[in-house]
Amino acid sequence: MADLDTDYVESRSPGHGRRAPRACFDSDAPRLELDGPWRFRAAAGLGDLTPGFEAPTFDDTHWDRLPVPSCWQLHGVGTPAYTNVTYPFPIDPPRVPDDNPTGEYRREFTLPGDWPAGRSVLRFDGVDSCFAVWLGGVRLGDGKGSRVPTEFDVTDALRPGRNILAVRVHQWSAGSYLEDQDMWWLSGIFRSVRLLSRPVGSLDDFFVHADYDHTTGTGTLRVETSGAARLTVPALGLTDAEPAGPHTFEDVVPWSAEQPHLYLGELTTESERVHVRIGFRTVAVEDGLLKVNGRPLLLRGVNRHEWDPETGRTLSDATMLWDVLLMKQHNINAVRTSHYPPSSEFLALCDEYGLWVVDECDLETHGFEQVDWRGNPSADDRWREACLDRMRRVVERDKNHPSVIMWSLGNESGSGENLAEMAAWTRDRDPSRPIHYEGDRDGGYVDVYSRMYADHAETELIGRGEEPATDDPARDAHRRQLPFILCEYAHAMGNGPGGLAEYQRLFEAYPRLQGGFVWEWIDHGIARHAPDGRQFFAYGGDFGEPVHDGNFVADGLVLPDRTPSPGLAEYKKVVEPVRISLDADARIIEIRNGHDFRDTSHLRFRWQAQDDGEPRAKGTLDVSVLAAGESTVLPWPELRSTGEGERLLTVVAELAHNEPWARAGHEIAWGQVLTGEPSKAYEPGLRATARRTADRLELGPARFDPATGTLRRLGDLQLEGPGLDLWRAPTDNDVLGPRLADRWRAFGLHRLTTKVLAVDPNGDGLTVVTRVAPAGSDSAMTATYHWRADEAALSLDLAVDPVGDWPLPVPRIGLRLALPGWIDTVDWYGRGPGEAYRDTTAAARLGRFRRSVDAMQTPYVRPQENGNRHEVRWARLTGDGGGLEVTGAFDLTLRRWTSEQLDEARHTTDLTPDDTVYVNLDAAHHGIGTASCGPGTLPEHTLHAGPTTLHLTLRTL
Ligand code: IPT
């Protein structure tokens, strides 16, 4: 009889026929990996199912194939859809649309002849969003909870030899109401499927309790097992011991994210050896602080979604390792697994390489906010079991990972009794880990006060314990005793985030502020190709979704292909665990070890002295080993400076030896200081007189347009401009939040016109006055250009003065000029090597750098202002035809398209070089901020329209 019962789809029940949740572990018991190509048929909905597809005799040879694991929308079946908060279907729980894409999967496998007697378990690590399973035509059950495992006991259905597994997966189900995370809606069997032999006498489950007493250095080990077993941990001297102990060990090496020491062992039964990895650590909230092993933590974290631009939420082991290595290499020490438990393999890597993990339940009901939380499952008893079930499955699966230091109930699910019950169950099951949920603002059932996107000022108040009172004094008093973390902050969408350094200063100043998790690790762009074959990354709306949230899905510190964005470089510098401060007046170097646990014996310190960016002397510093929290002061080394130019001292801390996550020499931290006066730029000496004829206006090596006073040629170099430029292609932080970019456009900053008021050649050079203003407004900027020259060089004094009202910040104040397209390289002395704006400068050090024009661009998923190099002293823009040298003090961008083209582009492939290089030489920029979700640009980084000057010298090369 065809099994077409689909009632489970719209049932709130988490599933039927499943085994109780338990730990995920490796053992020597046989297993059969069922990943690979499966037969697949895409059905439009529940009315389009294949009767009898589960029968072993069913002929599927005409069906397509689909890899397992995978997300079917990334294999041409249906299309991805992105919404942040909004459910992409009517809110009518537990019902879902009739249009419910359903995948019918089949695969055959052969049970090995030596498969042991005992039980067999079929394990699904992740199926989105709901499924039913048959083995040999026998229905095993059904399940929901996309990112938590589901197991079925298949002992009775399993046959010797050939077996047929059939799975029906539905895109939408009642479970979808609990999975409204800010990410692509993707479906399918997206994590591995395995058949596990559970031989007679094997272990079903175990729970490792490995506590560390920091006052005595004693480790206490207790392993609860579901049945009789023996425990062997050679490095602890345990051989075939009773797992329950408790076993105490003097002087164990504790586990921390900084030094992730694992003791490898085995639990053995008569039929199985189970691998265990033990990390001794004790997590506690004590004296209002979150502590591990007696020390308060400073979380330098990121929110990590699982993402790959080709395979979506199906990640290879190599990709997970890549994430961990990149994080470790960038001084990141913590991950919040937003907003669901990741693959178990990822947590195993966190145990091994060392990252603190806040493990979050697969629960988000954010879309109910849009109906004033009416019917929110968190507060509805009928959803109680579904909520609790998810929590149990995370805790049971992940309880043996030392990296997991907190459980999180979920994200953005409002409030309600079900959350409180999830917390209560968790506390009872695992009292060793604090509980997190940002939605519990009063700390009624959680152990830390957690917020998202609180601005700097409020964060500081919280740091002082002076956050605004609510109307419940008792709850206020309770909350004020809790440690504070920002579970999300510094929204890394597009260019930015700005303001990171200012947050970190607060975290380091107030003990209650224990750091946070940048939103977020990776841009979830989907790799696609333009008609010309170039790759770009798609975002919301690119698949014709009727409801979508555009590029809000691209807000990570790494681009979709995991290229670190400038935001990651900035974060690495801002959170560096060693602070190197150089004092030019006192001529001292102060080094502070900001690790929570680790001393500095793994580091070596190097210094380098530069004159105008040219290395002059270098050496190593003899720094005594500093314990965590200790500092030392050293005298300056002998700099051997020539005394010429701008003198710099740079000190770096780098790995002295290879670590599992980086090689010796990998840089951890640095400090830099100017040790002398800035150098004097070249100034034209002789004052050439400007000469004007009917069709010519000349000054030294320069030729200007006689009518407009625009520079057209310098020596042999053709150019256009420079002219006043106030515009930038709005960043995501300009566009969203308070919508500054809309104000800019309303004011007309993107359509300024220029009126020439004077072109005045004189004995002292050439003076050109222009008035730059938008149509329909009497606000303007007067730009006055004073040009002077000798036979070799041209100098410019620009004065910009606002006229009328300028009631808004301006994007930039500076000059834009156009150079021939053969210019392909830039050398500069200034901050670099990466992009920097006034509130994202921490990672940019002074030095000499070289990049191609193309490498000066940051290919943000949605094109926007990028690539600025900050505080440049000189730049040489060169190519086969010669080049141009610019000297002064300016910010520099170069690109092969205009800001207007950048502004119009929706994807990187919309930008095509023409035969011009556009150069911006700026006196100032408006900061970047993080207004796309969070505070905007801080007052000190706001660019107000005001009198501005810029002095430059131009020479051809
Ligand atoms: C917050 C969400 O928790 C997170 O998933 C993500 O959507 C982030 O915003 C923005 O990218 S919720 C928001 C209402 C603060």
Side-chain angles (χ1 to χ4, degrees), residues 84 182 339 364 366 411-412 452-453 488 491 519 552 555 933:
N84 170 11
D182 175 10
H339 297 303
E364 174 155 345
H366 206 165
N411 183 59
E412 292 283 5
M452 41 175 81
Y453 308 105
E488 295 178 21
H491 198 247
W519 186 267
F552 210 63
D555 51 3
C933 190

Side-chain angles (χ1 to χ4, degrees), residues 785-837:
Y785 303 77
H786 285 296
W787 294 100
R788 285 174 301 153
D790 60 18
E791 60 283 355
L794 183 65
S795 89
L796 168 64
D797 277 295
L798 171 75
V800 181
D801 293 289
V803 178
D805 278 349
W806 285 81
L808 75 184
V810 288
R812 61 162 24 112
I813 300 178
L815 295 170
R816 188 198 303 187
L817 72 156
L819 294 176
W822 48 256
I823 301 263
D824 56 15
T825 305
V826 53
D827 290 87
W828 77 98
Y829 171 48
R831 289 195 183 274
E835 167 184 308
Y837 293 78

Side-chain angles (χ1 to χ4, degrees), residues 383-398:
W383 291 94
R384 177 177 174 274
E385 186 48 33
C387 294
L388 277 167
D389 172 84
R390 281 163 191 259
M391 195 69 209
R392 288 189 204 114
R393 282 153 77 193
V394 188
V395 172
E396 297 298 356
R397 190 194 74 165
D398 296 341

Side-chain angles (χ1 to χ4, degrees), residues 102 203 228 248 296 348 358 392 521 528 562 643 788 823:
T102 290
L203 268 189
T248 54
V358 176
R392 288 189 204 114
W521 173 243
R528 284 290 177 265
R562 291 183 159 70
R788 285 174 301 153
I823 301 263

